[in-house]
């Protein structure tokens, strides 16, 4: 009420379920994203933005770093 936005955008991590709950709240599914890529080194997860780079694969192997993917996101929009 304080800000009165015309739209609310929510990104749902598909790794945690289908996201149907947001549609019951009045959100509309706008789009789906591709899976996100992360590196894991010494227990720390970092997002990788450029996943089409063969140099990453060499670095991961040499430094005992692992590349993992999530399930992508669902973008929901609530419009008043």
């Amino acid at each position: 009420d304080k800000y009165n936005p015309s739209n609310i955008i929510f990104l749902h991590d598909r790794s945690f379920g289908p996201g149907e709950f947001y549609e019951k709240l009045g959100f509309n599914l706008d789009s789906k994203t591709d899976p996100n890529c992360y590196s894991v080194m010494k227990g720390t997860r970092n997002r990788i933005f450029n996943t089409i780079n063969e140099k990453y694969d060499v670095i991961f192997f040499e430094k005992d770093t692992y590349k993992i993917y999530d399930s992508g996101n669902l973008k929901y929009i609530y419009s008043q």
Side-chain angles (χ1 to χ4, degrees), residues 2-77:
K2 182 177 179 180
Y3 297 103
N4 197 22
S6 58
N7 293 317
I8 298 172
I9 298 173
F10 185 83
L11 293 177
H12 171 72
D13 185 341
R14 293 170 60 187
S15 300
F16 296 104
E20 299 163 343
F21 176 74
Y22 301 100
E23 291 178 29
K24 292 179 183 179
L25 293 175
F27 284 80
N28 293 308
L29 179 61
D30 179 69
S31 60
K32 298 177 182 180
T33 68
D34 292 332
N36 298 299
C37 184
Y38 299 89
S39 69
V40 178
M41 183 158 75
K42 297 181 181 176
T44 302
R45 184 176 82 159
N46 300 295
R47 175 108 188 256
I48 300 172
F49 292 97
N50 181 5
T51 60
I52 308 172
N53 188 336
E54 293 177 14
K55 292 180 183 178
Y56 280 125
D57 292 329
V58 173
I59 292 169
F60 289 148
F61 180 74
E62 291 177 357
K63 295 188 176 187
D64 196 30
T65 301
Y66 303 93
K67 186 166 32 173
I68 62 171
Y69 295 87
D70 67 10
S71 299
N73 297 307
L74 299 174
K75 180 181 175 183
Y76 285 96
I77 298 178

